[in-house]
Amino acid sequence: MPTHRIYIETPVDGHYPEVFKKFDRRLFENLQPSFPPSKIIRYDGNSKGDRVMLKVWTGLTYENWESVITENACNEHECFFIDEGTQLPWFLKKWKHRHIVRKAAFGSLIIDEIEMGFINQAAGLLFYSFLKGTFKARQLKYQAYFRSEN
């Protein structure tokens, strides 16, 4: 199964530990795309062992998307957490999303680093660009959210 990757950097206002502390349910709700519709069923947080569960519209029905936080840490340069899919929509076989908030010269840099695998090449061709666009759209949402929070 070939792995597809997404890497997106978003500069935001605020010192990285403070920005990272605001990665909570409110921000997660703010980042949800208008399409496809989704419902947050569970959001424990961003610490190791926490779970996030969504119902995501896949075009035919709502499907479960569940992830577990497998790692989180902070150091003098960045804070991060990793969520890995444990139950995924039909077209995905693998999901690993590293959320990084890194110290920058002015403010912070939010980095979405995603590895995903699809059930087959056709699904990869169809869904990769869509998912990348969904995460690119987060850039404006992040910037507006952290601009209004300061």
Side-chain angles (χ1 to χ4, degrees), residues 1-8 65-72 80-89 92-100 111-118 128 131 135 138:
M1 165 181 61
T3 299
H4 292 73
R5 299 178 193 285
I6 296 173
Y7 183 91
I8 299 171
W65 185 321
E66 184 174 347
S67 292
V68 64
I69 307 305
T70 57
E71 192 176 342
N72 66 301
F80 74 92
F81 67 94
I82 299 171
D83 73 82
E84 295 191 47
T86 56
Q87 185 175 2
L88 298 168
L92 281 170
K93 284 292 184 194
K94 176 186 177 183
W95 182 266
K96 184 175 183 177
H97 183 178
R98 189 166 190 228
H99 309 254
I100 305 162
I111 301 167
D112 287 298
E113 191 175 271
I114 304 160
E115 290 178 41
M116 66 195 93
F118 296 94
Y128 173 77
L131 287 168
F135 279 90
R138 284 183 167 198

Side-chain angles (χ1 to χ4, degrees), residues 20-38:
F20 187 73
K21 284 180 192 171
K22 293 177 182 171
F23 271 69
D24 57 13
R25 185 180 180 121
R26 184 170 163 240
L27 175 59
F28 190 58
E29 288 170 352
N30 228 298
L31 294 174
Q32 294 305 300
S34 54
F35 185 83
S38 63

Side-chain angles (χ1 to χ4, degrees), residues 98-147:
R98 189 166 190 228
H99 309 254
I100 305 162
V101 181
R102 187 169 288 156
K103 183 179 183 177
F106 299 97
S108 297
L109 197 58
I110 296 174
I111 301 167
D112 287 298
E113 191 175 271
I114 304 160
E115 290 178 41
M116 66 195 93
F118 296 94
I119 58 167
N120 57 40
Q121 188 173 3
L125 290 171
L126 183 62
F127 289 103
Y128 173 77
S129 293
F130 177 78
L131 287 168
K132 186 171 184 177
T134 300
F135 279 90
K136 286 288 287 178
R138 284 183 167 198
Q139 289 182 295
L140 292 175
K141 291 180 179 186
Y142 277 136
Q143 290 170 333
Y145 188 86
F146 287 104
R147 192 171 33 252

